Amino acid sequence: MNILDGKKIANQIKEEIAVEVAQIQTRGEKVPHLAAVLVGNDGASLTYVGSKVRSCKKIGFESTLIHLPEDTTEAVLLQQVADLNANSDIDGYIVQLPLPKHIDEEKILMAVDPDKDVDGFHPTNFGKMALDMETFIPATPFGIMELLRRYDIETEGKHTVVIGRSHIVGRPISILMSQKGKAANATVTITHSRTKDLQEFTKQADIIVSALGVPDFLKATMVKEGVVIIDVGITRVPDATKERGYYITGDVDFEEVAPKASYITPVPGGVGPMTIAMLLKNTLLARKRRQD
Ligand code: GUN
């Protein structure tokens, strides 16, 4: 069993980006500037956005955090998005999801300028991705692809079973892994809550990408020997013995499944850090495109 060390690879990617930022600075050009909009005080979202902003500082990007109260109206958020679209200092930005229930997420994402949409969630960018055109790839699936590439995992002709059909992970990774190219050319099955007899699929899988959000869902009996496991789940499980009051766990019962796997991502330290690194990569790309 080999660990797919997302933390290590993410640090390598961040170092590569930092070198480019230093070159940009040397040339006297503007460094990339990422903004993040956070509405409300969801604990996990606060952690993710905080991490994104800290990473920006580390690699020499400028960053702006726009933290709005939970009761922010849709109209106010749309105005904020319009301001960010118009602000020439901002190269790219994200609106952290999920948004409070009274705000129509789709309406907000549609309002983001596709050229600044470093999350790759706008239909223009998502459509381009599905058509193999160059665009911003959503950071989590982009991170999974990069992890597979850097560990030279054979995917061609392999059966990849994706668990979950979210717009952020399941749907895009199923598209990307079925495309031509490195870490792709796979035969992909996408499964979800209405799939009958999920185990029949996971037991056949050469590669499993689980993006379900149910702790310890995937058990050893559900996978075959030598499987490659990508665990995208990040769930906070309440635990009074921990200082923070919770621990983080994935979709995969790691202790059970790891001995059967050829490669496996840990949680934390697997896909999570890769997501942040790829968001930064998209922001650098946004800056370069604006420069050209
Ligand atoms: N919520 C969970 N993952 C993401 C992400 O990649 N981007 C944004 N904006 N929100 C998220």
Side-chain angles (χ1 to χ4, degrees):
M1 184 271 293
N2 300 286
I3 294 284
L4 293 169
D5 190 341
K7 198 170 169 188
K8 184 177 89 183
I9 302 292
N11 282 334
Q12 280 173 13
I13 294 167
K14 285 194 262 184
E15 276 168 29
E16 291 161 15
I17 298 172
V19 168
E20 285 207 48
V21 175
Q23 289 165 353
I24 289 170
Q25 270 170 327
T26 307
R27 292 197 297 270
E29 293 167 5
K30 178 188 171 311
V31 298
H33 188 165
L34 173 71
V37 182
L38 174 62
V39 184
N41 293 301
D42 174 70
S45 292
L46 279 165
T47 307
Y48 298 150
V49 171
S51 220
K52 287 167 186 176
V53 169
R54 267 197 312 281
S55 292
C56 281
K57 295 222 159 66
K58 252 191 224 162
I59 60 166
F61 281 13
E62 275 190 71
S63 64
T64 298
L65 171 60
I66 299 158
H67 192 175
L68 303 171
E70 177 79 24
D71 60 359
T72 299
T73 63
E74 191 176 278
V76 165
L77 185 56
L78 280 170
Q79 186 55 54
Q80 182 61 69
V81 165
D83 290 348
L84 286 164
N85 288 343
N87 185 343
S88 64
D89 198 49
I90 303 289
D91 297 298
Y93 68 96
I94 63 159
V95 180
Q96 187 65 27
L97 304 179
L99 288 168
K101 291 208 167 29
H102 64 275
I103 296 176
D104 182 349
E105 215 160 82
E106 196 176 292
K107 214 168 174 179
I108 302 300
L109 296 181
M110 291 279 285
V112 174
D113 177 350
D115 290 334
K116 294 189 175 187
D117 170 36
V118 284
D119 255 334
F121 292 168
H122 190 281
T124 296
N125 289 323
F126 206 92
K128 282 185 171 177
M129 177 196 66
L131 293 169
D132 305 326
M133 295 164 74
E134 208 204 296
T135 188
F136 298 118
I137 307 286
T140 301
F142 195 9
I144 295 170
M145 298 296 284
E146 195 61 24
L147 200 54
L148 292 170
R149 279 193 280 262
R150 295 207 183 204
Y151 273 92
D152 243 337
I153 306 285
E154 183 60 80
T155 57
E156 185 164 322
K158 301 288 182 193
H159 187 194
T160 296
V161 171
V162 176
I163 309 175
R165 56 182 158 182
S166 72
H167 296 167
I168 296 182
V169 186
R171 193 74 55 81
I173 195 68
S174 68
I175 293 169
L176 293 168
M177 288 198 70
S178 68
Q179 286 174 333
K180 293 178 180 168
K182 197 147 189 268
N185 280 316
T187 303
V188 179
T189 301
I190 181 158
T191 66
H192 46 76
S193 54
R194 305 295 167 92
T195 297
K196 292 203 175 92
D197 212 352
L198 183 84
Q199 310 199 35
E200 282 312 305
F201 296 96
T202 55
K203 274 197 255 179
Q204 290 176 34
D206 301 307
I207 300 164
I208 297 176
V209 179
S210 187
L212 196 64
V214 178
D216 293 340
F217 173 81
L218 199 74
K219 302 288 185 187
T221 52
M222 298 167 73
V223 306
K224 73 177 182 188
E225 202 69 44
V227 66
V228 175
I229 300 279
I230 308 292
D231 189 350
V232 191
I234 302 179
T235 305
R236 293 180 169 201
V237 180
D239 182 349
T241 69
K242 297 271 186 278
E243 203 177 307
R244 290 190 289 192
Y246 64 87
Y247 68 93
I248 303 269
T249 192
D251 288 353
V252 179
D253 188 329
F254 189 90
E255 275 187 23
E256 267 197 17
V257 174
K260 276 182 101 170
S262 56
Y263 291 90
I264 185 165
T265 58
V267 177
V271 175
M274 290 299 293
T275 297
I276 295 179
M278 301 321 271
L279 174 68
L280 301 172
K281 209 167 166 77
N282 276 343
T283 307
L284 177 63
L285 177 65
R287 172 88 285 273
K288 285 183 185 167
R289 279 198 194 159
R290 279 159 54 81
Q291 188 85 14
D292 297 340

